[in-house]
Amino acid sequence: MTNLAHYDIVGSFLRPQELKQARADFEAGRIDAAALKAVEDQAIKKLVAKEEASGLSVVTDGELRRSYWHLDTFWGFAGIEHIVRKHGYFFHDEETRPDSARVVGKIAFAGTHPDLEAFKFLKQLTAGTNLTARQSIPAPAQLYAELVRGPENVAALRKVYASDDELFTDISNAYRDLILALYEAGCRDVKLDDCTWGMVVDDRYWEQRDETEFDRDALQEIYLRLNNEALRDLPADLRVSTHICRGNYHSTWAAKGGYQVVADHVFAKENVSDFYLEFDDERSGDFKPLAAIPAGKRVVLGLVTSKRPELEDKATLKKRIEEASQYVSLENLALSTQCGFASTEEGNILTEEEQWQKIKLVIETAKEVWGN
């Protein structure tokens, strides 16, 4: 099982300049895939060494092989194609790149997957150490949300799936098969990144939806079914957690609203052991929804923002941890940044040095509160 401290990370890290240059060279045809992978390998080796030196016991590959936190995983499944839309996602201050995923056949795990190969390399780097290698993947609910994003995606979906039940089953099974393949490769810590719940809580976002097609309760039932079916009958020594936020792209955000709207579904019923939750500013609401989390489950409080370089005040962080402990016991709380530093390869607007200062603040504050 994972060696859990009271400090943690969400997982993505800023791409170093040499990796950005290599990816640009690859896109321009100046280097081949093997040369790009060699640069990725070296960047990940350096990153894991930095993670270990910083004091982290759970490490990731920084998602350095991905362009997006979610789409790269979707494109790795059979039956999914990479498309480019007219528009990207509309965040608060910026529009993202317009990539998407669309159904072209039955969805399945085809026996291999980019995330599986990425994890195998990370696992090699942690062999013989006390480090735990974590693999983050976007939640099944997130794939569904992408596949019904806009009338063109829905039309493509219906050419393959006349029945939602068949679609839900295939999504969940593809994910479960991927998770089991990760387990066979030595993975004992999987995190589902999931913005779907963060979209549901936002009234502004909801007003833009066609309410004749969706309603909040029905959508939450779909999301919960997709995620829980993917997590059924997994090995007992596999730790599965989820990270729920409201968007993280180039230091901008997509949604706002407290977790109360979704607490009775995702907090109370999702079959995960740990919740990584965004609480870095007023958009995230208060801690009251944490009361819905079953006793014994762990909550990692994302109180330190990854969007800005300014360091939070330790006294304020400690006060907020104390406030959260009214709803979840202090022993079952931990501290992290509210999200990763680079959910997409653009990264947030801060330097690598500032990124590590944020992690240092998280670790120092946690040790002062919990002692570990």
Side-chain angles (χ1 to χ4, degrees):
M1 289 294 287
T2 301
N3 178 26
L4 296 177
H6 286 283
Y7 49 84
D8 214 327
I9 54 172
V10 174
S12 65
F13 284 86
L14 295 171
R15 284 26 169 197
Q17 184 54 44
E18 60 268 25
L19 177 55
K20 290 184 176 182
Q21 184 60 55
R23 201 171 302 284
D25 289 342
F26 175 73
E27 294 296 332
R30 292 187 289 267
I31 63 173
D32 61 14
L36 173 59
K37 183 179 183 301
V39 176
E40 291 172 344
D41 289 352
Q42 284 302 116
I44 292 167
K45 286 179 182 177
K46 291 179 182 178
L47 173 62
V48 171
K50 287 183 179 179
E51 290 178 89
E52 183 176 21
S54 75
L56 293 170
S57 57
V58 179
V59 300
T60 75
D61 68 358
E63 301 176 16
L64 299 191
R65 300 191 197 275
R66 299 185 191 175
S67 180
Y68 293 89
W69 65 276
H70 59 328
L71 293 176
D72 296 72
T73 298
F74 302 160
W75 298 328
F77 289 120
I80 304 292
E81 71 171 346
H82 178 179
I83 65 163
V84 178
R85 299 164 54 96
K86 291 182 180 179
H87 290 285
Y89 307 97
F90 290 97
F91 274 53
H92 183 248
D93 295 311
E94 193 168 345
E95 182 181 347
T96 72
R97 284 178 285 131
D99 300 280
S100 184
R102 181 173 293 172
V103 170
V104 291
K106 296 295 184 181
I107 299 167
F109 170 71
T112 186
H113 191 284
D115 290 351
L116 177 59
E117 299 310 309
F119 176 78
K120 288 177 180 178
F121 182 79
L122 177 63
K123 184 65 176 175
Q124 290 176 7
L125 297 181
T126 61
T129 73
N130 292 322
L131 300 175
T132 296
R134 172 180 295 152
Q135 183 63 39
S136 296
I137 56 177
Q142 197 74 48
L143 173 55
Y144 171 75
E146 192 68 28
L147 298 182
V148 296
R149 180 182 160 214
E152 298 89 353
N153 276 9
V154 172
L157 176 69
R158 290 306 171 207
K159 290 180 181 178
V160 179
Y161 289 101
S163 161
D164 279 344
D165 281 342
E166 184 184 8
L167 170 66
F168 299 159
T169 296
D170 281 0
I171 290 175
S172 295
N173 285 344
Y175 264 89
R176 184 171 182 273
D177 289 345
L178 172 59
I179 291 169
L180 289 173
L182 286 166
Y183 182 86
E184 288 300 315
C187 185
R188 296 297 181 269
D189 191 314
V190 170
K191 176 168 59 65
L192 302 181
D193 292 325
D194 198 347
C195 285
T196 59
W197 306 98
M199 300 300 108
V200 171
V201 304
D202 189 340
D203 290 334
R204 177 189 57 84
Y205 164 84
W206 197 251
E207 289 167 0
Q208 296 172 352
R209 297 296 297 259
D210 179 358
E211 294 196 36
T212 63
E213 186 177 356
F214 294 104
D215 68 73
R216 290 198 211 200
D217 287 340
L219 200 56
Q220 290 185 72
E221 290 291 345
I222 291 172
Y223 291 162
L224 189 65
R225 171 182 172 178
L226 286 163
N227 291 348
N228 279 348
E229 280 295 304
L231 302 178
R232 72 189 187 279
D233 301 324
L234 294 176
D237 61 341
L238 175 63
R239 173 179 177 258
V240 181
S241 61
T242 189
H243 167 242
I244 301 172
C245 81
R246 297 161 184 80
N248 186 52
Y249 179 85
H250 203 218
S251 292
T252 63
W253 52 270
K256 61 183 178 179
Y259 289 112
Q260 193 63 57
V261 173
V262 297
D264 289 341
H265 280 84
V266 65
F267 288 174
K269 299 176 183 177
E270 186 152 298
N271 292 332
V272 297
S273 61
D274 305 66
F275 294 90
Y276 291 71
L277 302 177
E278 178 180 78
F279 283 113
D280 63 323
D281 61 23
E282 68 282 352
R283 288 185 301 106
S284 305
D286 57 31
F287 296 126
K288 291 179 182 177
L290 298 182
I293 292 178
K297 293 198 174 186
R298 183 170 176 258
V299 174
V300 183
L301 300 169
L303 302 178
V304 174
T305 190
S306 68
K307 296 182 186 294
R308 300 180 301 278
E310 295 80 15
L311 293 176
E312 287 79 357
D313 175 64
K314 278 188 181 180
T316 302
L317 293 175
K318 292 175 183 177
K319 182 179 179 182
R320 298 200 70 200
I321 292 168
E322 182 180 359
E323 290 172 358
S325 70
Q326 298 175 40
Y327 304 98
V328 175
S329 69
L330 185 63
E331 184 57 32
N332 286 331
L333 293 175
L335 179 65
S336 75
T337 55
Q338 108 289 346
C339 199
F341 293 95
S343 299
T344 68
E345 60 186 317
E346 284 82 359
N348 285 342
I349 304 173
L350 68 170
T351 67
E352 287 193 52
E353 180 180 355
E354 290 165 341
Q355 165 185 262
W356 291 104
Q357 287 298 314
K358 287 281 183 173
I359 292 173
K360 180 181 178 183
L361 173 64
V362 166
I363 294 174
E364 287 182 352
T365 304
K367 287 185 174 181
E368 291 175 17
V369 172
W370 289 281
N372 70 331

